Amino acid sequence: MEFRDLKTQYLQHKDAIDSAMQDVACNAQFIGGEPVRRLEEDLAAYVGMKHCISCANGTDALQLALMAWGVGEGDAVFIPDFTFFSTAEVVPWVGAVPVFVDVDGDTFNMSPCALEEAVKNVIKEGRLTPKVVIAVDLFGQPADYAAIRKITEQYGMWLLEDGAQGFAGRIGDRRACSFGDITTTSFFPAKPLGCYGDGGAVFTDHDEWAELIRSYKVHGKGEDKYDNVRIGMNSRLDTLQAAILIEKLKFLDEEIKHCNEGAEIYTSLLRGIVKTPMVLPGYYSSWAQYTVQFERKEQREQAILKLKDAGIPSMIYYRKPLHGQKAFAGLLSGKAVCPVTEEICDTCLSLPMHPYLKGKEIEMVCDRVKENI
Ligand SMILES: *Cc1c(COP(=O)(O)O)cnc(C)c1O
């Protein structure tokens, strides 16, 4: 069984993807060009933002957003303690200080209450200026943007949506990657919309920020890339990846529908046995991961072995709270208190999830999980 079956996906859409790749090879334009322009247009229309700026990966996308806002020394950036390292890594990179915020025990997304508490603490300490909140659409479910937006407005902060896992999710009719002042995503192969290598994108409605990001991603270009008006970076989505993504975007909604059907089967079989993922009313997840929680750590460790014996892969996303990562030692403002994150790290387990997973396979996974409880 595959944790995420990219081979079946390719074989099902082989003709369209092969032809798109061949076109790029025949045209022999491998950087920029029509496919990149067209993809940016398609993606902006899909998420409902005015500008889409493609770049090399989801980590660069986050960094470009912080650069466009001029975030740096003396600024506090609030981040959920339970997410992939990238979300926080970019903060010290621009010279700012990450402040880790505990997550909600049901959705695993940033807790608005904990966020407000953390902002108040930073203000009380008086050393840093609260500047940005990075909310993550963890495992495919958008964060609680109604509540988070209230807090960013009240304290005059910008909202950055890290939609690396959330692409194709929704709240009501509104798609993920449209909730932040700037939002970012990743096209790493295992993400909801993945390419055949690395890729990422930044979205915004704001003309000036979009222009700045277009400059920063091409060596701080002015008139062109040989006129350099600021220190930037080199962050491109190559033409081949763009051509593949144009094709994959066409069947993405259908794929996410299948993931939702799979998630329903999982939840009906596992409810009451482990803690199944909670999708809030009106929310639609893109199921980047299907993550359950055991009561005790030992149960999880046993389940991993039972699954492995049956040839079923499972993953722990994430084993460590960000505030406990060695890389952040000495960079933190005070001591992070995130008991919910700590408990999730000890007890969570992500099970195989992809659009091509069969009902029978889900039953097999659930049978193995049940054996330990
Ligand atoms: C994958 C991921 C990223 C980084 O994306 P890359 O393309 O691998 O750089 C950032 N944030 C989250 C939440 C992710 O899952």
Side-chain angles (χ1 to χ4, degrees), residues 56-62 82-89 136-139 162-166 184-189 191 197-200 288 318:
N57 55 66
T59 311
D60 279 6
L62 289 162
F82 190 60
T83 174
F84 182 57
F85 188 65
S86 282
T87 314
E89 180 178 23
V136 177
D137 302 334
L138 199 77
F139 301 154
D162 179 352
Q165 300 179 15
T184 62
T185 197
S186 161
F187 305 122
F188 182 81
K191 308 281 173 170
D198 276 308
Y318 298 95

Side-chain angles (χ1 to χ4, degrees), residues 46 168 175 249-258 284:
Y46 182 87
R175 285 197 198 270
L249 185 62
K250 293 179 189 165
F251 54 82
L252 178 67
D253 283 351
E254 190 61 29
E255 287 194 329
I256 302 301
K257 206 176 106 216
H258 287 305
Y284 183 75

Side-chain angles (χ1 to χ4, degrees), residues 132-154:
V132 176
V133 173
I134 309 184
V136 177
D137 302 334
L138 199 77
F139 301 154
Q141 174 163 223
D144 183 352
Y145 287 107
I148 292 172
R149 177 59 85 181
K150 267 194 207 135
I151 297 167
T152 57
E153 277 177 2
Q154 186 181 343

Side-chain angles (χ1 to χ4, degrees), residues 44-92:
Y46 182 87
V47 305
M49 288 283 248
K50 187 171 173 193
H51 302 281
C52 168
I53 304 110
S54 61
C55 64
N57 55 66
T59 311
D60 279 6
L62 289 162
Q63 190 177 331
L64 284 162
L66 296 181
M67 286 165 82
W69 283 331
V71 175
E73 221 167 292
D75 293 334
V77 178
F78 299 85
I79 293 151
D81 199 30
F82 190 60
T83 174
F84 182 57
F85 188 65
S86 282
T87 314
E89 180 178 23
V90 294
V91 174

Side-chain angles (χ1 to χ4, degrees), residues 3 44 46 64 79 137 165 176 236 248-249 294 303-304 342 346 356 369:
F3 191 71
Y46 182 87
L64 284 162
I79 293 151
D137 302 334
Q165 300 179 15
R236 296 185 286 245
K248 289 189 61 176
L249 185 62
F294 292 83
I304 294 171
E342 282 177 19
D346 279 345
Y356 306 93
V369 170

